[in-house]
Amino acid sequence: MESDFRSSVDMDDEYEKFIRRMNPPMVVIDNETCKNATVIQVDSANKHGILLEVVQVLTDLNLIITKAYISSDGGWFMDVFNVTDQERNKILDEGIIDYIRKSLGADSCFIPSLRRSVGVQPSENHTSIELTGTDRPGLLSEVSAVLTDLKCNVVNAEVWTHNTRAAAVMHVTDESTGSAISDPERLSMIKKLLRSVLKGNNKTRGAKTVVSVGDTHTERRLHQMMFDDRDYERSVDDPLDKNLRPNVTVVNWYDKDYSVVTIKCKDRPKLLFDTVCTLTDMQYVVYHGTVNAEGPEAYQEFYIRHVDGSPVNSDAERERLIQCLEAAIERRVSEGLKLELCTSDRVGLLTDVTRIFRENSLSVTRAEVTTRGGKAVNTFYVRDAAGNPVDAKTIDSIRQAIGLTVLQVKGTSENPKSPSQESPTRFLFGGLFRSKSLYNFSLVKPYS
């Protein structure tokens, strides 16, 4: 059966390559049309997931998408993106422009997209460990301590927490060889001990540990892991006021058999990737859409159907879609105090730093751990164990213990869950479809 599956995948790959040869994708990068952004237009034969693949390439380059127009109705895909760098300047670097052309143009291969993603690390150099479990103060410290005891060095890691759940993708190497860990017995022991730490005293929710040697796109996997862990489910006594959540609505446009998803929330980096990733993984296809993120608030509007061609067809499906999009927006939210650590890398560094956090009653809500040229460059978002802002004296004490020049405070992040405001610009394809007019003419009706 495995060989039949592999044969089927190979046939699909060859068919996709044939379609691409007959209809090669075209990428146009224009720095003249728009005065404050670079315009990138991508035309290609259509297939499920292609929108996510294009957005993933742009966000992996840390580009900011300020506007987007999406059209994939039928066999052809056409997208237009207005993008800037992190300083809100046009993209003038020829190296980046050439990379975008090669990644999205005729010479690229969309199958699989992970092979050419900027965010993918070469697997032969490390072992990838995926963790999911119940969040609690000190969890990252405990996980790091176990890995250090097992002679594993964490070279890269990303940790997300949301709705009492935690997920992490960690790249580790053998302490003595600096290469990937391949011994089955040792890997089995790593999985067993980490699963025990993750489970803790929680008897109602499980924990999961997966060791992988394949390539993975870290952020895509974190979304999938938390989705599989059902972090989108909210308890009836959830203290978070519904008005403080992202504004997500789903209504049906019956005349055209679309479901219309609108999202309004505070803008932040990679927001479009997060929402498109969730729609794709939930097996929805974006046929038309528009994005406006030029101001502090982002507005996204998607005309979607399920992969089988049907719109959202029940209240339960509609509510689940809304919950999953809310969770996708909230997972990467950077609540708490931002701390940046930069120092020479060494085995056990992450363990020592997170132990100091734990001893000072700090909880890590999100973390990014990277190693570049022998340097550890880590970012932590922290709160106190009760979820409150961190006391200034506590931070001073931590910086004294770790090193004043090693650990820098980058300020607090604003609460992203502020009440949404009406977006001043609601548009699709230059006004071809306007949401307000659709409501006025009763073409789009509430689902219920």
Side-chain angles (χ1 to χ4, degrees):
M1 181 176 293
E2 184 177 343
S3 61
D4 291 343
F5 173 77
R6 187 160 47 245
S7 176
S8 175
V9 171
D10 290 341
M11 289 177 62
D12 289 343
D13 285 1
E14 289 304 316
Y15 177 74
E16 290 285 355
K17 291 175 183 177
F18 172 75
I19 293 298
R20 287 176 61 81
R21 283 195 296 270
M22 297 299 293
N23 301 281
M26 181 177 67
V27 178
V28 177
I29 300 178
D30 176 12
N31 269 315
E32 303 299 328
T33 302
C34 181
K35 70 176 184 178
N36 55 7
T38 297
V39 179
I40 300 174
Q41 180 175 323
V42 182
D43 297 322
S44 175
N46 192 22
K47 76 178 184 69
H48 180 57
I50 188 172
L51 173 61
L52 175 59
E53 291 171 356
V54 174
V55 171
Q56 181 174 301
V57 167
L58 298 178
T59 54
D60 281 346
L61 290 168
N62 289 320
L63 302 183
I64 297 173
I65 300 173
T66 58
K67 281 187 178 181
Y69 306 89
I70 301 158
S71 177
S72 61
D73 212 343
W76 199 253
F77 168 86
M78 184 189 76
D79 259 19
V80 179
F81 299 93
N82 286 16
V83 303
T84 69
D85 63 17
Q86 292 291 311
E87 284 72 41
R88 298 286 177 169
N89 298 316
K90 291 184 179 184
I91 312 306
L92 302 176
D93 187 309
E94 287 299 327
I96 294 177
I97 291 174
D98 185 58
Y99 178 86
I100 294 171
R101 286 199 180 101
K102 289 180 177 178
S103 297
L104 303 179
D107 295 332
S108 68
C109 180
F110 282 115
I111 306 170
S113 63
L114 296 186
R115 290 178 185 162
R116 56 174 169 69
S117 172
V118 179
V120 173
Q121 303 289 334
S123 62
E124 64 269 15
N125 295 332
H126 65 254
T127 299
S128 179
I129 301 176
E130 299 177 354
L131 311 171
T132 53
T134 302
D135 186 30
R136 66 178 186 272
L139 179 60
L140 180 58
S141 175
E142 294 176 39
V143 167
S144 302
V146 168
L147 290 172
T148 299
D149 288 343
L150 292 170
K151 308 300 181 184
C152 299
N153 185 36
V154 179
V155 293
N156 292 288
E158 187 146 358
V159 182
W160 290 359
T161 63
H162 177 251
N163 195 20
T164 76
R165 307 303 294 168
V169 176
M170 312 184 87
H171 297 157
V172 303
T173 58
D174 180 85
E175 178 182 322
S176 58
T177 66
S179 58
I181 301 167
S182 57
D183 179 61
E185 290 187 7
R186 188 177 177 192
L187 292 175
S188 178
M189 178 61 69
I190 291 172
K191 289 171 64 176
K192 179 181 177 181
L193 294 178
L194 288 177
R195 189 180 300 115
S196 177
V197 170
L198 288 164
K199 190 169 180 58
N201 296 322
N202 193 304
K203 306 300 181 183
T204 59
R205 295 291 293 272
K208 188 176 181 181
T209 304
V210 176
V211 176
S212 169
V213 294
D215 288 341
T216 180
H217 185 274
T218 299
E219 295 166 341
R220 177 86 184 272
R221 281 300 298 143
L222 284 168
H223 275 302
Q224 293 171 335
M225 290 159 59
M226 299 202 87
F227 174 81
D228 291 342
D229 200 39
R230 306 192 310 278
D231 75 313
Y232 53 84
E233 294 180 348
R234 299 184 186 273
S235 61
V236 292
D237 56 347
D238 186 350
L240 181 61
D241 190 315
K242 189 172 183 179
N243 291 328
L244 300 182
R245 298 175 191 163
N247 188 335
V248 181
T249 63
V250 179
V251 296
N252 273 12
W253 184 10
Y254 292 102
D255 287 10
K256 297 296 184 181
D257 230 18
Y258 290 123
S259 292
V260 185
V261 176
T262 58
I263 298 169
K264 291 180 287 183
C265 63
K266 182 176 179 178
D267 189 32
R268 60 163 176 77
K270 302 190 178 183
L271 178 64
L272 180 60
F273 171 83
D274 296 336
T275 55
V276 171
C277 183
T278 298
L279 290 171
T280 303
D281 286 340
M282 293 183 73
Q283 300 299 300
Y284 291 104
V285 178
V286 176
Y287 285 84
H288 302 287
T290 188
V291 173
N292 187 348
E294 290 186 304
E297 183 180 73
Y299 178 81
Q300 299 178 8
E301 182 174 75
F302 303 111
Y303 288 64
I304 67 169
R305 294 184 187 132
H306 199 267
V307 288
D308 64 7
S310 64
V312 174
N313 53 28
S314 71
D315 283 330
E317 182 185 358
R318 170 181 170 273
E319 185 60 30
R320 183 169 181 263
L321 176 55
I322 290 174
Q323 289 178 343
C324 290
L325 286 170
E326 288 177 346
I329 294 167
E330 294 170 352
R331 285 172 194 144
R332 202 197 294 266
V333 161
S334 303
E335 294 183 329
L337 187 70
K338 181 179 179 181
L339 303 177
E340 288 189 359
L341 179 145
C342 183
T343 188
S344 297
D345 188 36
R346 59 175 173 80
V347 175
L349 175 63
L350 182 62
T351 300
D352 293 341
V353 171
T354 53
R355 173 181 52 79
I356 293 172
F357 288 167
R358 185 188 69 214
E359 291 172 348
N360 284 273
S361 299
L362 295 192
S363 179
V364 178
T365 61
R366 190 162 73 88
E368 298 175 9
V369 176
T370 58
T371 303
R372 304 170 189 164
K375 285 282 188 180
V377 183
N378 303 342
T379 301
F380 303 96
Y381 292 87
V382 298
R383 296 179 298 192
D384 72 11
N388 299 316
V390 184
D391 181 79
K393 292 182 179 179
T394 301
I395 292 299
D396 288 342
S397 175
I398 291 172
R399 292 189 67 209
Q400 290 287 347
I402 296 176
L404 295 177
T405 60
V406 171
L407 188 68
Q408 300 291 328
V409 180
K410 294 299 180 178
T412 56
S413 300
E414 296 179 10
N415 188 342
K417 299 173 184 175
S418 58
S420 299
Q421 302 294 322
E422 179 69 14
S423 175
T425 53
R426 307 185 67 185
F427 54 87
L428 179 58
F429 303 117
L432 178 59
F433 305 132
R434 288 192 178 272
S435 300
K436 291 183 178 179
S437 63
L438 293 177
Y439 282 107
N440 291 339
F441 289 102
S442 301
L443 294 177
V444 175
K445 303 174 184 178
Y447 184 84
S448 57

